[in-house]
Amino acid sequence: MQKYVKELKYHKLKITPQRLDILKFLDNNRVHPSADEIYQAIKIDSPALSKTTVYNNIDVMVKNNIIKSFRFMDSNELRFDYKTTEHYHFICRECKSIYDIDISLPYFEKFKNYKHKVEEFYGDYKGVCENCLKNNSKNK
Amino acid sequence: MQKYVKELKYHKLKITPQRLDILKFLDNNRVHPSADEIYQAIKIDSPALSKTTVYNNIDVMVKNNIIKSFRFMDSNELRFDYKTTEHYHFICRECKSIYDIDISLPYFEKFKNYKHKVEEFYGDYKGVCENCLKNNSKNK
DNA sequence: TGTTAGATTGTAACTATTACATTATAGTTA
DNA sequence: TAACTATAATGTAATAGTTACAATCTAACA
């Protein structure tokens, strides 16, 4: 728990039980949860939690770069990750599972002398996952 | 106009003035418009148009691969393109302009022997565009 | 020309998110 | 330790984008 306190203090944010709960949840559940999933999970042990608090804190933590927010291309809800190394997502069109792809790709090198200054990249890959390939030969 | 009729017929979709208007608009305005932008534009000449019709038709045309739908990572609205070659988007964090990036990147080659079967890719690049770099030296 | 499956329309519902006002509390100071 | 104050938490209401639904209409075919 001390590491979350340290993290918040570093960014001059007040230490509140709600913030610690959210950080702890994101750190222990690296499944790109949505705001509602975070809310529902924490509410079990802290029923007084308000969804607005989840949104407020997510917001302030994203702005302070403590957590990352992103969105899958075909989804209408934002998703969140405790600080991660750069990675991409693979979404299976059969079972909808989300896998992290950790293959490092030379995106930025390509843009060394490009007319625009490229700073960030977001990407999703889509297809059929390992398991669905195994279970359903028509996908091969 | 005949090419839109042909396109719809090929997919066994009924030819309606609304569908032709939407296709024509998307073909002539390759600026990734949102559903509302499509609706507002066509309404000028066809005031009876319903927004539900825009959504319905967008939906059926996406499903038939006549148009493409996608979403910018930090936006909550879907955007649409008349059939395009594969390309990526660059969004300027200063002026919010959207540029198409037509540099072809060897994404799929990397995944030839990957455990998952990669079929589609969506990506956004973000940074500072050519013009904003020129106009504001602090971005360099 | 009549029939009918499918399309269009308008309204209402829904989901994710944000705005806002009130109450509470973390962290500082006396 | 108590009091103070800036910030945070809460609940409600509002908003934006989209979808569901029922009634009406029309394109395409016999």
Side-chain angles (χ1 to χ4, degrees):
Chain A
M1 217 57 168
Q2 203 50 39
K3 81 167 165 174
Y4 311 127
V5 172
K6 227 172 132 186
E7 184 84 54
L8 291 170
K9 274 205 174 126
Y10 177 79
H11 292 282
K12 301 196 197 319
L13 297 173
K14 285 191 179 168
I15 319 301
T16 70
Q18 292 87 343
R19 283 174 181 172
L20 294 175
D21 284 347
I22 291 170
L23 279 176
K24 190 175 146 202
F25 178 77
L26 285 173
D27 194 13
N28 294 333
N29 297 275
R30 310 242 177 176
V31 292
H32 326 296
S34 64
D36 191 62
E37 283 164 355
I38 298 168
Y39 169 69
Q40 297 299 341
I42 297 172
K43 225 169 99 89
I44 293 167
D45 288 325
S46 309
L49 181 70
S50 160
K51 197 179 263 193
T52 306
T53 300
V54 174
Y55 276 106
N56 287 343
N57 283 326
I58 277 170
D59 202 55
V60 82
M61 291 189 210
V62 168
K63 278 185 182 129
N64 282 278
N65 259 301
I66 300 172
I67 64 176
K68 295 268 178 208
S69 87
F70 62 91
R71 186 192 291 272
F72 297 120
M73 274 292 165
D74 51 0
S75 158
N76 53 337
E77 64 191 355
L78 283 167
R79 294 178 168 275
F80 305 91
D81 267 347
Y82 191 72
K83 55 175 73 180
T84 53
T85 56
E86 189 159 12
H87 69 264
Y88 311 96
H89 298 114
F90 176 85
I91 301 132
C92 178
R93 71 165 153 79
E94 290 286 317
C95 65
K96 311 294 176 201
S97 294
I98 300 154
Y99 300 85
D100 288 347
I101 296 186
D102 46 11
I103 290 179
S104 117
L105 295 168
Y107 290 116
F108 292 105
E109 280 164 38
K110 288 238 159 209
F111 291 101
K112 271 273 169 63
N113 297 305
Y114 194 54
K115 57 188 176 178
H116 307 309
K117 186 179 160 208
V118 174
E119 296 172 334
E120 288 176 75
F121 172 74
Y122 304 91
D124 289 352
Y125 294 85
K126 234 174 152 175
V128 184
C129 76
E130 204 177 13
N131 291 330
C132 289
L133 284 173
K134 246 181 258 155
N135 301 335
N136 192 343
S137 59
K138 77 165 195 282
N139 289 319
K140 281 193 195 110
Chain B
M1 214 62 166
Q2 202 49 42
K3 83 167 163 173
Y4 310 128
V5 172
K6 225 170 131 185
E7 184 85 54
L8 292 170
K9 274 203 176 134
Y10 178 79
H11 292 282
K12 302 198 200 313
L13 297 173
K14 285 191 180 170
I15 319 301
T16 70
Q18 292 86 346
R19 281 175 183 173
L20 294 175
D21 284 347
I22 292 171
L23 278 176
K24 191 176 144 201
F25 178 77
L26 285 172
D27 194 12
N28 294 332
N29 298 275
R30 309 240 178 179
V31 292
H32 326 297
S34 65
D36 191 62
E37 283 162 355
I38 298 168
Y39 170 68
Q40 297 298 342
I42 297 174
K43 226 169 99 90
I44 294 169
D45 287 324
S46 309
L49 181 70
S50 160
K51 197 179 260 191
T52 306
T53 301
V54 174
Y55 277 106
N56 287 343
N57 282 326
I58 277 168
D59 201 55
V60 82
M61 291 189 211
V62 168
K63 279 186 182 130
N64 282 277
N65 258 300
I66 299 172
I67 64 176
K68 295 267 177 209
S69 88
F70 61 91
R71 188 189 291 268
F72 297 120
M73 272 296 163
D74 49 2
S75 158
N76 54 338
E77 64 191 357
L78 282 167
R79 295 179 167 272
F80 305 91
D81 268 348
Y82 190 72
K83 56 175 75 183
T84 55
T85 56
E86 189 159 11
H87 70 264
Y88 312 98
H89 298 114
F90 176 85
I91 300 130
C92 177
R93 70 164 152 81
E94 290 286 317
C95 65
K96 311 292 177 204
S97 294
I98 300 153
Y99 300 85
D100 287 348
I101 296 185
D102 45 13
I103 289 177
S104 114
L105 295 168
Y107 289 117
F108 293 105
E109 280 165 39
K110 286 237 161 212
F111 291 101
K112 273 273 172 62
N113 297 304
Y114 193 55
K115 57 187 174 177
H116 308 309
K117 184 181 160 207
V118 174
E119 295 172 333
E120 287 177 76
F121 172 75
Y122 304 91
D124 289 354
Y125 294 85
K126 233 174 152 176
V128 184
C129 77
E130 205 177 10
N131 291 329
C132 290
L133 284 172
K134 249 182 259 158
N135 300 334
N136 192 342
S137 61
K138 77 163 197 282
N139 288 318
K140 280 189 194 111

